[in-house]
Amino acid sequence: MSRRVSRQEFDTLFDAVRAWGRWEEAPDRGAWNRVTDEHVRRAVSLVRSGTVVPMGRPWDTVSGPDNARPALHYMSGLGDVEAPEPATHKDFLGADYHGKAVSHLDALSHIAYRGRLYDGGAARELVGAAGARFGGVSALGPLVTRGVLLDLPAVRGLPWLEPGEAVGPADLAAAEAALGARIGEGDAVLVRVGRYRRRAEVGPWDADAACAGLHVDAVPPLAERGIALLGGDGDSDVRPSPVEGVHSPVHALAIAAMGVPLLDNLDLEELSAACAAAGRHTFLLVVAPLNIPGGTGSPVNPVAVL
């Protein structure tokens, strides 16, 4: 069982990692401001084999215990309503993508804590029925930086971590040492717990009720390193939450306090195998969210290049 954290202790932690007011020119890009042209050039220099690994899950239209609001996909044109040549086939896509099924990016408007978005603006004033006026996903744009995969099951010689298992700072440090992948400023950190291998072998389960992920104690070291992005094959939070009265504490710390967007529900199985084969767990990472003005995030298919 993970260490329980009181609300008072959590609030102290939130204030300790808070990075409000740090980026005055583009505050709703948050920690993505850390990624400079030099960071991009260094990331590109990591490409050796040219192996390209996508991390987005298949568009999931099937209801299940971890997909309460299935994505939509239907054909809207079958070549029979327009001039005969050439035949055109069209389809519709839609998704209530925040949740446990669709691979997506959380923008800074997605999470408020104590009524405040990242950088201190009042959520009620900045997010409404027309979308977000601060921290929208369109403000982020694409990200190109160095990715670091912390493959926790591989380090432990396990197929996966069991749902509910909390990952602490010692676990992250051990993974860095074992994999030779030290996290640096401007990096995107991806944490694999083996969720989709477990799902493939055991079957789906309610990941809202139980999922391996980060304990809040693991967040301060990531804040100290100055990461730009955090993601994983869960949604970064261990579930059930260890914090009294806060259902997604890592979301609150990363997004609302630190200004670090999150990548949720990535399929990291192919990347795990590719990194093992290459003998390294750092790579060029490209994240290109949809340009949705006022959006709180975006479905996304991040790509690693080794």
Side-chain angles (χ1 to χ4, degrees), residues 34-48 144-147 183-187 225-226 280 282-285 305:
R34 289 194 171 105
V35 180
T36 65
D37 292 347
E38 179 58 29
H39 283 97
V40 175
R41 288 192 291 270
R42 287 203 301 263
V44 170
S45 73
L46 295 172
V47 176
R48 295 172 189 148
V144 179
T145 193
R146 188 179 83 138
I183 298 164
E185 184 176 6
D187 283 349
R225 301 288 185 86
R280 60 190 175 96
T282 58
F283 42 84
L284 170 68
L285 178 72
V305 187

Side-chain angles (χ1 to χ4, degrees), residues 16 54 185 238 266:
E185 184 176 6
V238 64
L266 302 182

Side-chain angles (χ1 to χ4, degrees), residues 40 67 91 149 183:
V40 175
N67 192 12
D91 53 353
L149 176 66
I183 298 164

Side-chain angles (χ1 to χ4, degrees), residues 110-173:
H110 176 50
I111 294 292
Y113 184 64
R114 299 184 300 208
R116 302 284 170 176
L117 298 177
Y118 171 73
D119 226 35
R124 286 188 176 182
E125 297 174 4
L126 295 172
V127 184
R133 294 189 292 109
F134 175 89
V137 70
S138 59
L140 290 174
L143 180 73
V144 179
T145 193
R146 188 179 83 138
V148 179
L149 176 66
L150 297 184
D151 195 338
L152 300 177
V155 169
R156 298 187 191 181
L158 300 171
W160 57 72
L161 304 189
E162 287 295 338
E165 183 168 348
V167 175
D171 299 307
L172 298 185

